[in-house]
Amino acid sequence: MRCRVGKADLFASLVVFLVALPLCVGIAIASGVPAELGLLTGLVGGLVAGALPGSSLQVSGPAAGLTVLVYEAVQRYGVEALGVLVLGAGLVQLGLGLLRLGRWFRAVSAAVVQGMLAGIGLVLVAAQVYALGDAAAPASGLGKIAGLVSLPGRVDPVALSVGAATMGVLLLWPRWRRGARVVPAPLVAVVLAALVTGVFDLDVRRVEVRGLVDAVRVPEGADFGRLMEVGVIGTVVAFALIASAESLFSAAAVDRLHTGARTDYDRELIAQGTGNAVCGVLGGLPMTAVIVRSAANVQAGARTKASRVLHGVWLLVFTVVVPGALGVIPVAALAGLLVHAGCKLVPVREVRVWWRGHRGEVAVLGVTAVAIVVGNLFEGVLVGLALAVAKTAWDISHVHVETEDRGDAGLVVRVLGHATFLRLPKLLDALEALPRDREVRLELGGLRHIDHACAAALEGWATGRGQEAAVSGRLASGSAAA
């Protein structure tokens, strides 16, 4: 039995390695750092985070979801500051895990999460379309999208053809299910692109290689001094929160793919924080748990965490034995790989489902995505969270006014539901529409919540009617019930 489990994990580790290799390189280049740093983060995700308890089957490494934020940080602070940013984020994650706050990430609105992924996907696709044609991309997300209008005249048709062919392979290869189980589509697409450009000696930009050891940069004392800058602190917090959210959402998705042990969210957060701290010390990219690699791990038959640790071993062997192999990979092929990944981040299926019965969620998703494209990732998520909270407050603040005519005894008005300031205009409109020549008894016992603004407004309304209104003594009890 042990031998069989070992073989399953060994095969799964090779599959995950083949999926992770091109993605690690492509994400690093899209983030504006040397390709070797992507491999460095991938092997730390396997050897360090993979060996720690938490989620036994999900695989960690550099993720497309952080590409936009990392690129912005590198452009603003320089690649030499990346290590201290990632180290700081890892320490924040460790603190969150030790304080047992991991489970609270499950309380984030699904619409905000999907909007975050959609915004990241749109900016990632917009940036990589330029790389498809070996053209330079504008710095801002909005600039990338606006610049697409003038892009056709600046692209290299040869590079564009290589990138387009890569995306074609990514779409078609999975249809051959037997072959896709053995060799992942990303590897097939990148290898074919490298072979074609090499055999025909096509003049396209290729990945620049300088060796893993040369790419490592341990943070120095001056780098830690930058942690006093407000912008740097904001970036560290953004790294930590978004990486944590993506990892724990991925864990929830992976748990649905298998019947084994469930994820311990706090331990997984500690594992992710430890991995990011190590990545930071080595000057690498931030890492998260990645659903694409994790799903490949489960589908390949992995039984234990040995498969994800071994995938890190294979990445290490590759970077030590054949690092020069990266130099034959066309950048346009990696761009095609990331355009495909970015498109998959846009939750088209969820939007279709929510549009039928939860259009408010679609609005939150859309606003979050647009805010990320127009501004940046951190600001966009904050806007989405604020809108989600406001939407929830609006949804639960339903108030209903019932009027009963008792003839000579006057009118009995019952207010039911949740009376908050959000529904105050509706409540006052209903009360002010009552005839002033009738005695009114206002009953508030049906309220499950009444806030101070509504309580003060109701007292003011009753006082304004003078002797014409007899307010029942339930105002205090209604407030107390809240």
Side-chain angles (χ1 to χ4, degrees), residues 153-357:
R154 297 189 287 127
V155 298
D156 180 350
V158 176
L160 184 60
S161 300
V162 171
T166 301
M167 289 190 289
V169 174
L170 290 170
L171 294 172
L172 296 176
W173 182 258
R175 295 188 178 185
W176 184 29
R177 295 185 178 179
R178 182 176 299 179
R181 289 195 193 102
V182 178
V183 186
L187 184 69
V188 174
V190 171
V191 169
L192 285 177
L195 287 175
V196 170
T197 54
V199 170
F200 293 97
D201 194 23
L202 300 181
D203 185 18
V204 295
R205 188 161 61 99
R206 290 176 170 79
V207 175
E208 296 180 6
V209 183
R210 63 177 183 177
L212 184 62
V213 176
D214 294 333
V216 171
R217 184 185 184 279
V218 178
E220 300 174 354
D223 297 325
F224 288 98
R226 305 202 65 176
L227 289 175
M228 302 302 294
E229 299 177 21
V230 175
V232 170
I233 295 174
T235 302
V236 168
V237 173
F239 275 179
L241 295 183
I242 293 172
S244 300
E246 188 168 344
S247 295
L248 298 183
F249 297 146
S250 172
V254 172
D255 281 349
R256 293 194 290 268
L257 298 177
H258 67 92
T259 57
R262 305 293 91 179
T263 298
D264 183 318
Y265 285 86
D266 296 315
R267 287 187 174 183
E268 179 62 20
L269 198 53
I270 291 172
Q272 295 295 323
T274 303
N276 271 320
V278 174
C279 286
V281 169
L282 298 175
L285 290 168
M287 74 173 195
T288 74
V290 187
I291 187 61
V292 175
R293 292 165 225 179
S294 303
N297 190 39
V298 175
Q299 292 164 3
R303 307 289 179 82
T304 69
K305 62 183 179 183
S307 62
R308 60 185 191 176
V309 175
L310 282 173
H311 118 274
V313 173
W314 306 139
L315 286 172
L316 178 60
V317 170
F318 177 86
T319 56
V320 171
V321 177
V322 285
L326 297 176
V328 302
I329 299 176
V331 172
L334 296 176
L337 184 67
L338 291 176
V339 167
H340 181 260
C343 289
K344 292 176 70 174
L345 289 175
V346 180
V348 177
R349 182 178 302 174
E350 285 79 2
V351 169
R352 289 176 178 173
V353 173
W354 291 351
W355 186 254
R356 300 189 187 103

Side-chain angles (χ1 to χ4, degrees), residues 442 454-464 471 475-476:
L442 184 62
C454 281
L458 291 175
E459 290 176 348
W461 173 83
T463 302
V471 181
L475 182 58

